Amino acid sequence: MKRVSADPSYVTYVADRTLPDCSVVTDHIPLDVLRKICFFLDDPKEVIHFGSVKRHWSPLLSNPPLWNSLLHKHFPYADAKLKPKTESPENLILYKQLAKITHNARVGHYNLQFFNGDESTIQCLKIWNDKYIFSAQGGMIRIWDPNMGQELQVLGSHQDWINCLTIWGDQLISGSEDKTIKIWDLRTRQELQTLNGHRGPIVCLKIWNDQLISSADDEDDPMIRIWDLHTGKEIRTLEGHDKEVICLKIWGDQLISSSEDQTIKIWDLHTGKEIRTLKGYGGQIFCLKIRDDKLIAALGDSTIKIWDLHTGKEIRTLKGHNKTVFDLKVCGGKLISSSEDGTVKIWDFDTGKELQTLQGHSSHVDHIAILGSTLISSSNEIQMWDLDTGKEIRTIENYHHIISKVMVSGGKLISISSTIKIWNFE
């Protein structure tokens, strides 16, 4: 039997020229057998070629178990959501996009856009209808269209810095150091209402079932407030923490809150009643993540703790960093942490075993993001790492300002400091 090369370029040549109608081969093979063959495609290029050769092969690849397997195999860190349709090539298009983004990120092919702000650091950024909405100096909110390359409008009525932004439909909600929450119509760009009640600077905003949940950074105001977003009226307050509440997370119909009183509380959002309190850690919580019904906390005492959210029992404590842990990401069975000690660590999420330590930053590592199989971390510079091998790929930016955040949206990497920079790898 003659052996045929598996090189994708050869496969394309054969498909395009040697076999004008590939269905001659496949029409007599049961679909279940063809799907099993697909499981052996070991490279994204092979999948793309396979799906592109003949129109009816693309629907073949829309089988959900097959797609989930291929995505997990070739793009284990991608946050991609499939919408399988038996008569649509959407999955193949998505696959091509993921392959292109992953390749371009590795080889450094990108288009760079940036918005020059003022001398101060931008704190918050939200994306709405491809518009970038961010907080600026003096309590201003600026709206920038990167496609047009111009600023559209500046919204201003807060009297102090804006600490947090969130979006509800076509409305923007902002929380400020001036102790107020404002709601804006993003279509008309008009202020709709101001919510008063907190006695300290607003630090957290979350939305659940058309309700706004807020907390303030004030030891004398440790209450969590819940508002009706349709009327702007306060529905209830959650009382239980002894000091200011600094972080909020939604888990189904439950709210998770962490406080300077060194406790984490879980609340029933339907009744407002406290379900349980998690204790046994020290220092401020810099980050909370939820994954597979588990709560992960980055702590000021340099440890990472994981709890079972159903039982409230502590599962394990991860020790390895020697200074405060600032940020966490969970993807592809791995937990990634960044720290004030200047390192990034990769852990096995299921066992808690430390797999790798990434070193190379000149200072503390504040933020991390995932783009395909590439890890991005920020300090005084932005660095890219191979998530599979832990090897450094490149440094893509050195800054003279504090980087307040790095994030990934689609095929774009976004960094926020006194400027907003967008690396488009699509």
Side-chain angles (χ1 to χ4, degrees):
M1 181 176 180
K2 184 178 179 181
R3 184 178 179 183
V4 180
S5 170
D7 178 70
S9 61
Y10 179 82
V11 173
T12 303
Y13 176 83
V14 171
D16 292 343
R17 304 189 183 190
T18 308
L19 298 175
D21 184 1
C22 297
S23 63
V24 172
V25 178
T26 61
D27 282 349
H28 302 291
I29 301 176
L31 283 178
D32 288 344
V33 175
L34 287 175
R35 289 190 180 113
K36 288 181 180 179
I37 292 173
C38 293
F39 278 101
F40 292 94
L41 299 176
D42 289 327
D43 187 277
K45 290 181 181 179
E46 295 175 0
V47 179
I48 292 168
H49 283 305
F50 184 87
S52 300
V53 167
K54 189 72 177 174
R55 180 176 296 177
H56 73 269
W57 288 22
S58 180
L60 164 70
L61 293 174
S62 291
N63 175 257
L66 173 60
W67 268 106
N68 289 337
S69 174
L70 291 174
L71 267 183
H72 180 73
K73 183 177 182 180
H74 298 141
F75 307 104
Y77 312 108
D79 185 20
K81 296 180 180 179
L82 296 177
K83 297 179 180 179
K85 293 182 180 179
T86 56
E87 301 300 328
S88 170
E90 285 184 8
N91 286 346
L92 189 61
I93 293 172
L94 170 64
Y95 215 86
K96 288 180 178 179
Q97 291 173 339
L98 288 173
K100 183 178 180 181
I101 290 167
T102 299
H103 172 76
N104 288 346
R106 293 302 180 92
V107 301
H109 290 170
Y110 55 81
N111 294 318
L112 179 63
Q113 288 180 281
F114 61 90
F115 178 91
N116 280 321
D118 45 42
E119 292 299 319
S120 58
T121 300
I122 296 166
Q123 295 295 328
C124 319
L125 183 143
K126 293 292 179 182
I127 301 173
W128 175 80
N129 286 358
D130 294 328
K131 310 294 189 302
Y132 283 55
I133 304 167
F134 55 94
S135 61
Q137 193 174 28
M140 301 292 182
I141 298 170
R142 305 174 80 161
I143 303 176
W144 174 49
D145 188 332
N147 297 318
M148 298 174 62
Q150 66 182 33
E151 183 172 274
L152 301 179
Q153 193 164 346
V154 177
L155 312 178
S157 65
H158 277 294
Q159 302 303 309
D160 208 334
W161 281 99
I162 295 167
N163 293 323
C164 43
L165 297 171
T166 192
I167 290 176
W168 178 58
D170 294 333
Q171 295 182 14
L172 174 71
I173 305 168
S174 55
S176 169
E177 287 280 324
D178 66 12
K179 307 175 185 178
T180 68
I181 299 168
K182 291 184 180 291
I183 302 177
W184 313 77
D185 188 316
L186 285 171
R187 298 289 183 185
T188 64
R189 297 170 193 164
Q190 299 296 313
E191 181 183 333
L192 298 177
Q193 54 187 325
T194 298
L195 310 183
N196 294 289
H198 283 291
R199 291 178 289 169
I202 312 301
V203 292
C204 291
L205 296 172
K206 294 292 179 183
I207 292 174
W208 175 80
N209 282 4
D210 295 346
Q211 296 175 13
L212 175 68
I213 305 167
S214 60
S215 66
D217 185 10
D218 187 345
E219 186 171 345
D220 297 325
D221 181 24
M223 291 183 291
I224 301 166
R225 298 179 185 273
I226 302 180
W227 317 76
D228 185 316
L229 278 169
H230 294 286
T231 64
K233 293 182 179 179
E234 185 177 313
I235 299 172
R236 64 169 58 93
T237 58
L238 309 183
E239 301 182 39
H241 284 294
D242 297 327
K243 293 185 178 180
E244 54 266 41
V245 175
I246 54 178
C247 191
L248 298 173
K249 283 285 182 183
I250 304 291
W251 180 57
D253 293 335
Q254 297 179 13
L255 175 71
I256 301 167
S257 61
S258 65
S259 167
E260 289 280 5
D261 65 11
Q262 299 192 16
T263 67
I264 296 173
K265 291 184 180 292
I266 303 176
W267 314 79
D268 185 316
L269 282 169
H270 290 288
T271 64
K273 292 182 178 179
E274 180 183 326
I275 298 172
R276 65 174 56 92
T277 297
L278 308 180
K279 299 180 180 179
Y281 62 90
Q284 184 175 349
I285 294 175
F286 285 85
C287 183
L288 287 177
K289 295 290 181 182
I290 298 172
R291 177 65 177 261
D292 296 336
D293 297 339
K294 297 178 179 66
L295 177 67
I296 312 141
L299 307 179
D301 66 359
S302 79
T303 65
I304 301 166
K305 284 191 178 289
I306 303 175
W307 290 270
D308 185 312
L309 280 169
H310 292 289
T311 64
K313 291 183 179 180
E314 182 181 322
I315 298 173
R316 65 179 58 91
T317 298
L318 308 183
K319 296 181 180 180
H321 288 291
N322 54 47
K323 290 187 178 179
T324 299
V325 177
F326 287 144
D327 200 4
L328 298 168
K329 288 288 183 293
V330 185
C331 57
K334 295 180 179 180
L335 171 65
I336 302 115
S337 58
S338 66
S339 169
E340 187 183 3
D341 63 17
T343 69
V344 176
K345 289 185 180 289
I346 301 177
W347 316 76
D348 185 298
F349 182 68
D350 292 325
T351 66
K353 179 182 178 181
E354 182 180 325
L355 302 175
Q356 292 171 318
T357 297
L358 312 183
Q359 296 178 317
H361 279 289
S362 59
S363 183
H364 50 82
V365 187
D366 294 306
H367 303 284
I368 47 181
I370 307 296
L371 181 67
S373 57
T374 303
L375 170 67
I376 297 113
S377 54
S378 69
S379 179
N380 294 326
E381 58 280 318
I382 297 178
Q383 293 186 337
M384 303 179 74
W385 313 79
D386 186 311
L387 252 178
D388 294 315
T389 66
K391 292 182 178 180
E392 183 179 347
I393 299 173
R394 67 177 54 83
T395 298
I396 64 170
E397 186 74 12
N398 286 297
Y399 276 81
H400 300 292
H401 300 280
I402 296 172
I403 302 173
S404 57
K405 191 171 184 180
V406 292
M407 57 187 288
V408 168
S409 177
K412 302 177 181 66
L413 168 66
I414 304 161
S415 71
I416 311 168
S417 60
S418 60
T419 65
I420 298 175
K421 293 190 175 183
I422 306 169
W423 288 266
N424 188 346
F425 296 98
E426 291 181 323

